[in-house]
Amino acid sequence: MNYPLHTLLSRTGHAQQNYLRPYLSQLGLSPGQPKVLRCLYSEGVLSQRALADYCEVDPAAICRTLDILERNGFIVRRPSRTDRRTGEVSLTEKGVATFEAWEDQCSTIEARMLQGFTGEEKEHFADYLSRAYRNMGGRLL
């Protein structure tokens, strides 16, 4: 059967999530939380507002996510040194270690998913997906 591209993208994403979901639980994370850890790992200290923007979620949703991540020891929140009206969010050592473990697992599934692709094909594929995401209004870090 010849599937349309949107179906192939959806099914591939679903298969990837099914593979990663058990590992997510082993790390003590919930869906959506690795994205927050990725932003903090990549950008360092961020305000809650900036984090919500980077993760493309509303401030209330990021607040709930941060509450859980803080309670579980993955992040720490502090008052901003430059703006008393905002706070700063950063990863703890546990958050860094957990994110790195998550990335290792993601690399494993990525290698499996792209088995048989040449280096050039992988580069093109990443470029195509990035462009498609930006065309849909997404912003990559």
Side-chain angles (χ1 to χ4, degrees):
M1 179 180 276
N2 204 6
Y3 290 103
L5 185 57
H6 68 88
T7 301
L8 292 170
L9 285 169
S10 177
R11 291 182 117 187
T12 302
H14 186 71
Q16 182 183 28
Q17 291 306 312
N18 284 342
Y19 177 89
L20 290 170
R21 193 171 289 114
Y23 195 69
L24 194 66
S25 297
Q26 288 175 14
L27 291 173
L29 296 172
S30 299
Q33 291 177 343
K35 181 171 29 174
V36 174
L37 299 182
R38 177 182 314 286
C39 290
L40 292 170
Y41 189 86
S42 173
E43 298 296 314
V45 178
L46 290 171
S47 71
Q48 187 169 310
R49 177 74 211 177
L51 196 51
D53 290 343
Y54 275 121
C55 293
E56 300 173 325
V57 297
D58 65 80
I62 203 71
C63 185
R64 289 187 299 274
T65 299
L66 293 177
D67 286 344
I68 295 166
L69 288 170
E70 185 175 38
R71 187 171 39 242
N72 292 328
F74 297 112
I75 63 152
V76 28
R77 292 191 264 194
R78 295 183 192 92
S80 171
R81 291 174 228 150
T82 58
D83 184 353
R84 293 185 316 162
R85 295 169 296 161
T86 65
E88 298 175 339
V89 183
S90 61
L91 290 175
T92 62
E93 286 183 28
K94 178 182 178 182
V96 169
T98 301
F99 177 73
E100 289 173 348
W102 173 252
E103 280 297 292
D104 286 344
Q105 194 63 28
C106 289
S107 293
T108 298
I109 186 63
E110 183 178 303
R112 180 177 172 191
M113 182 173 62
L114 299 177
Q115 187 176 349
F117 283 55
T118 67
E120 186 178 4
E121 288 172 328
K122 291 175 188 178
E123 286 180 30
H124 287 296
F125 189 52
D127 181 55
Y128 299 150
L129 289 174
S130 296
R131 287 170 40 201
Y133 181 65
R134 285 191 305 272
N135 288 345
M136 296 302 298
R139 209 177 68 206
L140 297 171
L141 292 178

Coordinates of all heavy atoms in Angstrom, one line a residue, residues 77-116:
R77 N 14.3 26.3 40.6 CA 13.9 27.6 40.3 C 14.4 28.6 41.3 O 14.4 28.3 42.5 CB 12.3 27.7 40.2 CG 11.8 26.9 39.1 CD 10.3 27.1 38.9 NE 9.5 26.1 39.6 CZ 8.2 26.0 39.4 NH1 7.5 26.7 38.6 NH2 7.6 25.0 40.1
R78 N 14.9 29.8 40.8 CA 15.4 30.8 41.7 C 14.8 32.2 41.2 O 14.5 32.3 40.1 CB 16.9 30.9 41.6 CG 17.6 29.7 42.1 CD 19.2 29.9 42.0 NE 19.9 28.7 42.2 CZ 20.2 27.8 41.3 NH1 20.0 28.1 40.0 NH2 20.9 26.7 41.6
P79 N 14.8 33.1 42.1 CA 14.5 34.5 41.7 C 15.6 35.0 40.7 O 16.8 34.6 40.9 CB 14.5 35.3 43.0 CG 14.4 34.3 44.1 CD 15.0 33.0 43.6
S80 N 15.2 35.7 39.7 CA 16.1 36.3 38.8 C 17.0 37.3 39.5 O 16.6 38.1 40.3 CB 15.4 37.0 37.6 OG 16.3 37.7 36.8
R81 N 18.3 37.3 39.1 CA 19.2 38.3 39.6 C 19.0 39.7 39.0 O 19.4 40.7 39.5 CB 20.6 37.8 39.4 CG 21.0 36.6 40.2 CD 22.3 36.1 39.9 NE 22.1 34.7 39.7 CZ 22.8 33.9 38.9 NH1 23.8 34.4 38.2 NH2 22.6 32.6 38.8
T82 N 18.4 39.7 37.8 CA 18.3 41.0 37.1 C 16.8 41.5 37.0 O 16.7 42.7 36.8 CB 18.7 40.8 35.6 OG1 18.0 39.8 35.0 CG2 20.2 40.4 35.6
D83 N 15.8 40.7 37.3 CA 14.5 41.1 37.2 C 13.7 40.5 38.3 O 13.4 39.3 38.3 CB 13.8 40.8 35.8 CG 12.4 41.3 35.7 OD1 11.8 41.8 36.6 OD2 11.9 41.2 34.5
R84 N 13.3 41.2 39.3 CA 12.6 40.7 40.5 C 11.2 40.1 40.2 O 10.7 39.4 41.0 CB 12.5 41.7 41.6 CG 13.8 42.1 42.2 CD 13.8 43.1 43.3 NE 12.8 44.1 43.1 CZ 12.3 44.9 44.0 NH1 12.6 44.7 45.3 NH2 11.4 45.8 43.8
R85 N 10.7 40.5 39.0 CA 9.3 40.0 38.7 C 9.4 38.6 38.1 O 8.3 38.0 37.9 CB 8.7 41.0 37.7 CG 8.4 42.3 38.3 CD 8.0 43.3 37.2 NE 9.1 43.5 36.3 CZ 9.1 43.9 35.1 NH1 7.9 44.3 34.6 NH2 10.1 44.1 34.4
T86 N 10.5 38.1 37.7 CA 10.6 36.8 37.0 C 11.5 35.9 37.8 O 12.3 36.3 38.7 CB 11.1 36.9 35.6 OG1 12.5 37.4 35.6 CG2 10.3 37.8 34.8
G87 N 11.5 34.6 37.5 CA 12.4 33.7 38.1 C 13.2 33.0 37.0 O 12.9 33.1 35.8
E88 N 14.2 32.3 37.4 CA 15.1 31.6 36.5 C 15.0 30.1 36.8 O 14.8 29.6 37.9 CB 16.6 32.0 36.8 CG 16.8 33.4 36.5 CD 18.3 33.8 36.9 OE1 18.9 33.1 37.7 OE2 18.7 34.9 36.3
V89 N 15.0 29.3 35.7 CA 14.9 27.9 35.8 C 16.2 27.3 35.3 O 16.7 27.7 34.2 CB 13.7 27.3 35.0 CG1 13.6 25.8 35.2 CG2 12.5 28.0 35.4
S90 N 16.8 26.3 36.0 CA 18.0 25.6 35.5 C 17.9 24.1 35.9 O 17.2 23.7 36.8 CB 19.2 26.2 36.0 OG 19.3 26.2 37.4
L91 N 18.7 23.3 35.2 CA 18.8 21.9 35.5 C 19.7 21.7 36.7 O 20.7 22.4 37.0 CB 19.5 21.1 34.3 CG 18.6 21.0 33.1 CD1 19.5 20.3 32.0 CD2 17.4 20.3 33.3
T92 N 19.3 20.6 37.5 CA 20.2 20.1 38.6 C 21.1 19.1 38.0 O 21.0 18.7 36.8 CB 19.3 19.4 39.7 OG1 18.7 18.3 39.1 CG2 18.3 20.4 40.3
E93 N 22.1 18.6 38.8 CA 22.9 17.5 38.3 C 22.1 16.3 37.9 O 22.4 15.7 36.8 CB 23.9 17.1 39.3 CG 25.0 18.2 39.5 CD 26.1 17.7 40.5 OE1 26.3 16.5 40.7 OE2 26.7 18.6 41.1
K94 N 21.1 16.0 38.6 CA 20.2 14.9 38.3 C 19.5 15.2 37.0 O 19.3 14.3 36.1 CB 19.1 14.7 39.4 CG 18.1 13.6 39.1 CD 17.1 13.5 40.2 CE 16.1 12.4 39.9 NZ 15.0 12.3 41.0
G95 N 19.1 16.4 36.7 CA 18.4 16.8 35.5 C 19.4 16.6 34.3 O 19.0 16.1 33.2
V96 N 20.6 17.0 34.4 CA 21.6 16.9 33.4 C 21.8 15.4 33.1 O 21.8 15.0 31.9 CB 22.9 17.6 33.8 CG1 24.0 17.2 32.8 CG2 22.7 19.1 33.8
A97 N 22.0 14.6 34.1 CA 22.3 13.2 33.9 C 21.1 12.5 33.3 O 21.3 11.6 32.4 CB 22.6 12.5 35.3
T98 N 19.9 12.8 33.7 CA 18.7 12.2 33.2 C 18.5 12.6 31.7 O 18.2 11.7 30.9 CB 17.5 12.6 34.0 OG1 17.7 12.2 35.3 CG2 16.2 12.0 33.4
F99 N 18.8 13.9 31.4 CA 18.6 14.3 30.0 C 19.7 13.6 29.1 O 19.3 13.1 28.0 CB 18.8 15.8 29.8 CG 18.7 16.2 28.4 CD1 17.5 16.2 27.7 CD2 19.9 16.6 27.7 CE1 17.5 16.5 26.4 CE2 19.8 16.9 26.4 CZ 18.6 16.9 25.7
E100 N 20.9 13.4 29.6 CA 21.9 12.7 28.8 C 21.6 11.3 28.6 O 21.8 10.7 27.5 CB 23.3 12.9 29.5 CG 23.8 14.4 29.3 CD 25.1 14.6 30.1 OE1 25.5 13.8 30.9 OE2 25.6 15.7 29.8
A101 N 21.0 10.6 29.6 CA 20.5 9.2 29.5 C 19.4 9.1 28.4 O 19.4 8.2 27.6 CB 20.1 8.7 30.8
W102 N 18.5 10.1 28.5 CA 17.4 10.2 27.5 C 17.9 10.3 26.1 O 17.5 9.7 25.2 CB 16.5 11.3 27.9 CG 15.4 11.6 26.9 CD1 15.3 12.6 26.0 CD2 14.3 10.8 26.6 NE1 14.2 12.5 25.2 CE2 13.6 11.4 25.5 CE3 13.8 9.6 27.1 CZ2 12.4 10.8 25.0 CZ3 12.6 9.0 26.6 CH2 11.9 9.7 25.5
E103 N 18.9 11.2 25.9 CA 19.5 11.4 24.6 C 20.2 10.2 24.1 O 20.1 9.9 22.9 CB 20.5 12.6 24.7 CG 19.8 14.0 24.6 CD 19.1 14.2 23.3 OE1 19.7 14.3 22.2 OE2 17.8 14.3 23.4
D104 N 20.9 9.5 25.0 CA 21.5 8.2 24.6 C 20.5 7.2 24.0 O 20.7 6.6 23.0 CB 22.2 7.6 25.7 CG 23.5 8.3 26.1 OD1 24.0 9.1 25.3 OD2 24.0 8.0 27.2
Q105 N 19.3 7.1 24.7 CA 18.3 6.2 24.2 C 17.7 6.7 22.9 O 17.4 5.9 22.0 CB 17.2 6.1 25.3 CG 16.2 5.0 25.1 CD 16.9 3.6 25.1 OE1 17.9 3.4 25.8 NE2 16.4 2.7 24.4
C106 N 17.5 8.0 22.8 CA 17.0 8.6 21.5 C 18.0 8.3 20.4 O 17.5 8.1 19.3 CB 16.7 10.1 21.7 SG 15.3 10.5 22.7
S107 N 19.2 8.4 20.6 CA 20.2 8.1 19.6 C 20.2 6.7 19.2 O 20.3 6.4 18.0 CB 21.6 8.4 20.1 OG 21.8 9.8 20.3
T108 N 19.9 5.8 20.1 CA 19.8 4.4 19.8 C 18.6 4.1 18.8 O 18.7 3.4 17.8 CB 19.6 3.5 21.1 OG1 20.8 3.7 21.9 CG2 19.4 2.1 20.8
I109 N 17.4 4.7 19.1 CA 16.3 4.5 18.3 C 16.5 5.3 17.0 O 16.0 4.8 15.9 CB 15.0 5.0 19.0 CG1 13.7 4.6 18.1 CG2 14.9 6.4 19.3 CD1 13.5 3.2 17.8
E110 N 17.1 6.4 17.0 CA 17.4 7.1 15.7 C 18.3 6.2 14.8 O 18.1 6.2 13.6 CB 18.1 8.4 16.0 CG 18.3 9.3 14.8 CD 19.0 10.6 15.1 OE1 18.4 11.3 15.9 OE2 20.1 10.9 14.6
A111 N 19.3 5.6 15.4 CA 20.2 4.7 14.6 C 19.4 3.6 14.0 O 19.6 3.2 12.8 CB 21.3 4.2 15.4
R112 N 18.5 3.0 14.8 CA 17.7 1.9 14.3 C 16.7 2.4 13.2 O 16.6 1.8 12.1 CB 16.9 1.4 15.4 CG 16.0 0.2 15.0 CD 15.3 -0.3 16.2 NE 14.3 -1.3 15.8 CZ 13.3 -1.8 16.6 NH1 13.3 -1.5 17.9 NH2 12.5 -2.7 16.2
M113 N 16.1 3.6 13.4 CA 15.2 4.1 12.4 C 15.9 4.5 11.1 O 15.3 4.3 10.0 CB 14.5 5.4 13.0 CG 13.5 6.0 12.2 SD 12.6 7.4 13.0 CE 13.9 8.5 13.3
L114 N 17.1 4.9 11.1 CA 17.8 5.4 9.9 C 18.8 4.4 9.4 O 19.7 4.7 8.6 CB 18.5 6.7 10.2 CG 17.5 7.8 10.6 CD1 18.3 9.1 10.9 CD2 16.4 8.1 9.5
Q115 N 18.7 3.1 9.9 CA 19.5 2.0 9.4 C 19.4 1.9 7.9 O 18.4 1.9 7.3 CB 19.1 0.7 10.1 CG 20.0 -0.4 9.8 CD 19.6 -1.6 10.6 OE1 18.7 -1.6 11.5 NE2 20.1 -2.8 10.3
G116 N 20.6 1.9 7.2 CA 20.6 1.7 5.8 C 20.6 3.1 5.1 O 20.8 3.1 3.8

